[in-house]
Amino acid sequence: MLDPYLPLVLLFALAGAFALFSVTAAPYVGPRRYNRAKLDAYECGIEPSPEPVVGGGRMPVAYYLTAMLFILFDIEMVFLYPFAVSADALGLFGLVEIVLFIVTVGFAYVYVWRRGGLDWN
């Protein structure tokens, strides 16, 4: 009765074993020569400074905002791809749904654009 799920269970077991092996083996096979540059936090290519430049203690959020917008509009593609693959099977209902989805994402895009989220200063 549960035979169809056996490949899925084996895949999860293999993924868990790989993750456990990777975490366990990393200290033994990784480099042991550390220096100050490798231990510093990476800030999107900007040289980290002891005192943030903007706002007296606040970090600039332009990089993080851009990353979040990229994720938001990249996830749109995740939803558009299955529609493109099975557009014939979905028919008119699928077309209406995907148009509503694109309009909703379009409103989000216009909102971000009007708020200046796409301006790089």
Side-chain angles (χ1 to χ4, degrees), residues 43-119:
E43 291 291 336
C44 302
I46 296 177
E47 191 69 33
S49 63
E51 189 66 32
V53 180
V54 177
R58 295 179 65 189
M59 294 294 292
V61 296
Y63 297 108
Y64 305 110
L65 180 62
T66 303
M68 292 301 291
L69 289 174
F70 173 76
I71 290 171
L72 173 73
F73 291 115
D74 190 46
I75 289 175
E76 173 190 6
M77 290 301 122
V78 172
F79 289 112
L80 286 177
Y81 183 74
F83 170 75
V85 170
S86 61
D88 291 338
L90 293 174
L92 183 63
F93 174 76
L95 180 64
V96 170
E97 290 297 321
I98 206 66
V99 166
L100 290 175
F101 176 73
I102 290 174
V103 166
T104 304
V105 172
F107 282 137
Y109 179 72
V110 170
Y111 174 77
V112 169
W113 186 12
R114 302 277 292 177
R115 298 277 302 195
L118 302 176
D119 295 333

